[in-house]
Structures are given as C-alpha cells and as structure tokens.
Amino acid sequence: MSLLVVGLSHRSAPVSVLERASLSADAKVKLLHDTLAAEPAAEATVLATCNRIELYADVEKFHAGVAELSTLLAQHSGVALEELTPYLYVHYEDRAVHHLFSVACGLDSMVVGEGQILGQIKDALALGQELHTAGRLINDLFQQALRVGKRAHSETGIDRAGQSLVTFGLEQLAAHQPVGEWAAGKRALVIGAGSMSSLAAATLARVGVAEVVVANRTAERAERLAEILVASGTGVAARAVPMSAVAGELARVDVVVSCTGATGLVLTGDDVTAALTDAGAPAGLSPTPPLPETGGEPPAPSWGLRPQTPAPQMPAGLENGAAPQAAGPGTADGFAAPQAAGPAVADGFAAAGVLGSAFAAAPQAGVDAEVVARLAAAAQAGRRIADAGAVRTITAPAPVEADGCPVGLDAPAEGVGSVGGGRSALAGVDAGSLELHGAWADQGEAAAQRQPRRAARALADGAVPVRLALLDLAMPRDIDGAVHRIPGVRLVDIESLAEASADAPMAADVDAVRAIVAAEVAAFGAAQRAAHITPTVVALRAMAAEVVAMEVARLDGRVPDLDERQRAEVTQTVRRVVDKLLHAPTVRVKQLASEPGGAGYAEALRELFDLDPQTVASVSRADAADPMNDDPGRAS
C-alpha cells in the first residue's frame, strides 16, 4: 500500500475554481465513505480549508488510485472532472509526505508561516478517526505532520515570516497605515462564530477597535464569543446580535469581517449600498451604461451615481476621431505606441491619452476605428466608459506566451471540450509525469489572472475615502465581489489576499524549516519501511520458536530421564543458538528495509525461510489492532 494525495490549492487553481469546488461538512463525509468503498483505497481523509482541498488515501495501485480519487473529488465538489483536471496536483509516497509536512509548517500557505493550518490538519485527522476511515498510515502521517509543524514553529523563526490570514487581511485593509493606528476607535462587525471568526474577533480586539459586534446563526455561540472578548482584558466592548440584525449593524460599523459556512452570499451589493445610504455616505454601484451612438446623455442608472468627475480633454487631432498627425517617441508608421501614457484612468473614466493611444493602435490591432472614435467622443463629453477593461480590450496587447505543462496534460484532449481531457488524460500516464504536471500546476496557474484584478482594485480604492472596510475570509465567498465598485468601500477577499501574498518577502527562516521538513520526511519514510518488514521478522522469530519447542519435545521423548534443571539448560541453549543465528540477519534486514527501495527485503525474507503469508498477514492485523498504534488521543 502507498500514500497518494490528489488535490488543488491556491497555488494550482484560481479562486473562482476553489470557490466552486469547496466541500460542505456533509460532502466531506460522503467523499470519505465513497473513497473507502472504491477498490483502490484502504484508508483516507480529506484536508479542506479556504484555499485547499486535498484527498489523502492509502492505495494499492497508483494509476487506478489517481483516476478514482480525481473522479470522486469532481463528483462531490460539483465541478466537472474535465474542468477540474488541469488544476489538480498529484503527490505519491515520499513526495506526498513531503507535501503534507510542508503544509503543516506553513510553507505552502497563502501567508507563509501561518499556524492556523495545524488546527485544520488536526480536524482532518479527527474526521478520519471519527468516521473510521483513517487507518495506521493516515494516523501515523497526520500525527507526525502535527509534530513537525510544532517543531518548525518552536525551533525556527518562521512565526516572524508568517501571520494569520486575519492579520494579513487587516494589513491589506489598512493599506499603508499601521494596523493599530487604522483600527483605533473603529466599530467592527464579525459575521460567524467559528474558529476563523473567533480569531478575527480576538485580533480586532487586540489591535484596538472600540467595539466588536458578533452575528451568528446560533445565538449561543455568538454570545459566548462576545463574553470571551469582554473578559479578554483588551477593554473592547462586545455584544452578540442575530443574523437578522446584520443589515442594521452594517450601517453603523466601520469594519466587517465575514467567515461563515454559508453556500450563498451573506452580504450583497444591495445590502452594502443600503447600509451606506442609511449612514449618510455616498453609495451605489457604478453603472455601466451603453456607449452613446451620438452625443446624447446616457440613461440615468437606477441605483445611484458616482460623483461627477471633470471631463478629460482630448489631445489635438482627436476631436473628430482623427489619428495623430506626427509620430512621437516610441511611435511607428505615424501612430502612437499603444503603451503611451496619458492622464490617469480613475473611477471608471478612461483618460484621453489612453484612448488616443488605442485609436492610433486600432489599425494595427485590427480594431474597428469607429468603436474607438465613439469611446473618444464619450470621454470628451465627460461620460463614463464601461471600465478600464474596455480600453485594455481595444489596445489588444500581445498575449504573453506561457510555458505549457511539461507532459502535455494541459492540452485539449480529442472529443473533450475543456483543457486537460479529464479522466481520459490520466490513462497511461506514469507517476513521474503526473508529479511533473502537479509541480507545473503548483507554480501558479492563477498568476496570469492577477494583474488586471489588482489594477481594477487600485482604481476603486483611490476614488473616495474608505467608509466601510470589508474582509471576506470565507470559501465560497460571503460578500459579493462587486461591492468594491461602491464608492467608499474597500473589499479584501481570498483572491486579493492571494495576489498580495505573492509579493510578500520570504523570511530567512524558511530555509531552516525546509531542512527540518527534509529530515523528517526521511525519518518518516525509514520508519514506515521498517514497520513494513516488522511483521515478516516477527513471523520468522515465531517460526524459530516453534522449531525450538518441537526439538525440545523430541529430546524429551529420546532422553526421558533428564531432570528439570538439565532440561531447562538444554532448552535455553537451543534458544540461544537460534537467537544468535537470527540476530544479525534480522537487524540487517531492518536496516536495509528502512532505506529507499528496501521494500523487497521483506519478500526475500519470506521466500528464503518459506514463511506462510497468512502468518505474516495475521501479525500485521494484530499489530494494527493494537490500541497503542491507533489512539485518537495521539492527535492532540
């Protein structure tokens, strides 16, 4: 049997896919039951957090295990296998152990070094133990992962590099201000009362907010969390409210942190707009009216207008849609370069310089010049032009060529509509190739999608002073992503945290943690391989003891006159001879079996001594049933 991990995380998949693939509590239970019902898996557990979904299983066959586990993940996540496959990574045997130990140490977290993952690993092990899907390998692996994670945090300074998602999220909300200065005196609303929400409430109290309001579907849990905050000694005022009171509280708070298990949105754009309107702040989603065919005014939006912005002036030569007459720096064939900088694009209005560049580049980019002329006319009239995405579409920058999967698993399969080919792409691919595909996916499928979103957020953040700061730590998301378009609102969610953490500096202590992980992986592998041969060694010694007993009985029949002292001495002598003959081979075979590639020594021992396979299997079953080897209390 061998350890196999199939999963996806923020390193391999965009947040939109992670959000759709997230597993509810019931889905986790069904997934584990179905995994054990499938032939390739003997034991399993699932590690599902806000930024990863991983299925760990002990399988007999690699390819059958990959295909089965991938199919089960797709079935229970609700994402089609063909769509999910390009984002999946696969780790096997020692690579799988290395992956989990790295996760436990925070090396694979969105915020490097964060310690919350240890609690999530403990929960994954507890779930497997509760459902009786975690056997010896999963128990040993996850308990050792917890020890490795604790060792990394105690022996290195990884804590200095890492912080919780809550702390990192608050830093992003505070922008360039120290969090303590930004939070001082603010009123905060925490939606949810689970572990992440509790951490958020405690963090807000620690950084100096004046009041924390806790809303939760279960009133008792909200009240308990509020009581803990009041008793924390931070001086924060705290109270609990029902979920039905969230809309009213939203109008009086400055900060909202949401992390619930809801499958739908907890806060919509309309909720936030209504709250800001009630509080007397400018509100309303920026509308996207159709482009004017003539110079007429666009229809008034139904949900509120942004403050009017002075109309940018068009460069000379563009008033009537004409191209520039002379080439400036970086121009070609008399047209301005598409990258030429004009007035800044802000709050949904396109700057004339960018439009001029787009107009000039239109003939080369294959864009209809009439469309560009309409955009220029709308900008000159001071009207809103969709958003910066329209300009980016018109300028048609050349796509960046990205390296594809080294084994071609990102190529469309014949007859399959999406990338990767789904299950058919897995057939016949060896373990090394699948791990190469996993490593390629780990390097940043989502990176290509970061810059446009980050630019859009920057435009929205700079429009008006922030009236309401929203931190969404849920997966799937609790807060409508469109609220960042509301004036006075700043939204930080899992996706924007992933973008920000990609640029975060790595601490020097990360190298020390990696060394710890490497050493622990080697030790765990050696222990597992040694444990694998132990039943064979025990069976060999049992057979030797049986031979000694038979020969002593035979001696009693031939020399019946031996007294008890003589008989005991003869018996002890025979046993010593057998023990000395077996000592060196058994010690040596354990040493050899603990090394990589040593699994064959157990089979050689069984063949050389003609050991009964049923005897070896019975020793394995008895050892696995030992409560000392499967103690749920060891998960702590």
Side-chain angles (χ1 to χ4, degrees):
M1 305 295 282
S2 300
L3 179 67
L4 175 66
V5 181
V6 178
L8 67 160
S9 74
H10 65 101
R11 293 186 179 274
S12 69
V15 172
S16 59
V17 175
L18 281 173
E19 186 176 32
R20 292 169 52 211
S22 61
L23 298 172
S24 65
D26 289 342
K28 293 179 192 176
V29 172
K30 293 177 182 176
L31 172 60
L32 289 180
H33 284 318
D34 289 351
T35 300
L36 257 65
E39 283 189 6
E43 54 181 290
T45 195
V46 60
L47 176 60
T49 71
C50 59
N51 52 34
R52 75 177 63 251
I53 303 167
E54 296 175 343
L55 184 56
Y56 290 77
D58 189 5
V59 300
E60 291 182 354
K61 298 179 180 179
F62 174 76
H63 286 97
V66 171
E68 193 64 46
L69 266 58
S70 302
T71 302
L72 289 170
L73 273 177
Q75 287 177 354
H76 291 279
S77 68
V79 180
L81 180 60
E82 290 78 11
E83 183 179 356
L84 198 63
T85 297
Y87 304 113
L88 293 177
Y89 47 76
V90 174
H91 299 299
Y92 191 55
E93 294 186 331
D94 284 352
R95 281 283 303 274
V97 176
H98 188 281
H99 175 73
L100 180 60
F101 287 3
S102 298
V103 168
C105 293
L107 293 180
D108 198 58
S109 296
M110 189 177 292
V111 180
V112 174
E114 60 94 8
Q116 288 172 271
I117 187 64
L118 287 175
Q120 293 161 336
I121 290 174
K122 185 176 179 180
D123 290 343
L125 175 57
L127 179 63
Q129 291 173 336
E130 178 185 349
L131 300 176
H132 303 290
T133 62
R136 158 168 286 192
L137 178 59
I138 296 296
N139 273 283
D140 288 350
L141 174 69
F142 274 69
Q143 288 163 4
Q144 186 63 24
L146 291 170
R147 288 189 282 268
V148 172
K150 292 174 183 177
R151 180 188 169 193
H153 284 280
S154 63
E155 295 183 12
T156 74
I158 191 69
D159 289 325
R160 293 194 296 269
Q163 49 193 327
S164 72
L165 275 181
V166 174
T167 304
F168 191 57
L170 293 178
E171 286 185 357
Q172 298 306 304
L173 286 179
H176 302 295
Q177 277 186 276
V179 174
E181 293 180 11
W182 171 81
K186 282 184 166 57
R187 292 168 296 185
L189 170 64
V190 175
I191 305 176
S195 57
M196 184 73 80
S197 298
S198 299
L199 176 61
T203 304
L204 288 166
R206 189 182 70 249
V207 299
V209 298
E211 181 185 15
V212 175
V213 180
V214 182
N216 191 57
R217 286 178 298 179
T218 306
E220 292 78 7
R221 296 187 66 180
E223 291 167 359
R224 176 59 179 158
L225 179 54
E227 291 172 1
I228 292 172
L229 292 175
V230 172
S232 65
T234 58
V236 67
R239 57 191 174 88
V241 298
M243 287 295 288
S244 59
V246 165
E249 295 296 334
L250 203 60
R252 60 181 299 275
V253 300
D254 308 292
V255 184
V256 177
V257 180
S258 186
C259 185
T260 73
T263 55
L265 292 176
V266 174
L267 292 180
T268 65
D270 289 340
D271 295 333
V272 176
T273 299
L276 292 182
T277 302
D278 292 344
L285 286 172
S286 298
T288 307
L291 292 174
E293 293 293 340
T294 62
E297 291 290 333
S302 59
W303 57 83
L305 289 170
R306 285 184 181 269
Q308 292 298 314
T309 304
Q313 298 299 315
M314 295 299 295
L318 283 183
E319 294 86 347
N320 298 314
Q325 299 302 313
T331 60
D333 299 328
F335 293 106
Q339 294 81 9
V345 178
D347 201 26
F349 288 91
V354 178
L355 285 172
S357 299
F359 186 89
Q364 302 176 57
V367 179
D368 189 346
E370 181 181 351
V371 175
V372 182
R374 287 169 53 201
L375 290 172
Q380 187 178 19
R383 302 184 190 105
R384 187 174 183 277
I385 305 175
D387 61 12
V391 178
R392 286 196 299 272
T393 302
I394 289 168
T395 55
V400 177
E401 292 295 331
D403 293 334
C405 172
V407 293
L409 287 181
D410 59 330
E414 186 175 353
V416 177
S418 61
V419 176
R423 187 168 186 170
S424 62
L426 302 174
V429 182
D430 59 25
S433 296
L434 277 169
E435 289 198 359
L436 279 175
H437 174 68
W440 167 77
D442 281 348
Q443 295 304 312
E445 279 279 323
Q449 304 185 18
R450 287 179 180 150
Q451 291 304 323
R453 180 179 175 89
R454 186 177 299 167
R457 288 289 174 84
L459 295 177
D461 287 347
V464 293
V466 175
R467 165 62 184 83
L468 184 62
L470 304 170
L471 177 57
D472 185 358
L473 298 174
M475 184 62 69
R477 71 187 70 197
D478 281 345
I479 302 174
D480 187 353
V483 301
H484 76 274
R485 295 171 50 210
I486 301 175
V489 173
R490 175 176 291 150
L491 171 66
V492 171
D493 56 17
I494 292 297
E495 187 169 2
S496 55
L497 284 176
E499 295 168 3
S501 66
D503 299 327
M506 299 286 283
D509 295 279
V510 167
D511 289 338
V513 174
R514 286 175 175 155
I516 288 175
V517 168
E520 291 284 357
V521 169
F524 183 83
Q528 289 296 309
R529 286 186 288 268
H532 180 70
I533 202 171
T534 297
T536 301
V537 173
V538 171
L540 174 62
R541 288 193 172 276
M543 183 193 74
E546 185 179 349
V547 170
V548 169
M550 291 173 59
E551 290 302 317
V552 169
R554 179 173 172 273
L555 181 65
D556 284 343
R558 289 183 172 234
V559 188
D561 298 333
L562 290 176
D563 58 30
E564 287 298 322
R565 186 184 64 79
Q566 293 172 326
R567 184 176 181 279
E569 185 63 31
V570 171
T571 302
Q572 186 63 25
T573 299
V574 175
R575 285 176 178 166
R576 282 198 299 268
V577 170
V578 172
D579 287 344
K580 287 184 178 181
L581 287 174
L582 291 181
H583 176 73
T586 54
V587 169
R588 184 59 180 152
V589 79
K590 285 184 177 181
Q591 293 173 342
L592 293 172
S594 66
E595 298 174 357
Y601 287 100
E603 180 64 28
L605 206 60
R606 289 193 292 270
E607 288 292 329
L608 288 172
F609 287 91
D610 194 23
L611 298 177
D612 184 359
Q614 295 298 324
T615 303
V616 176
S618 65
V619 173
S620 300
R621 287 193 297 271
D623 196 31
D626 186 346
M628 294 299 294
N629 292 322
D630 191 13
D631 182 9
R634 291 172 63 189
S636 59

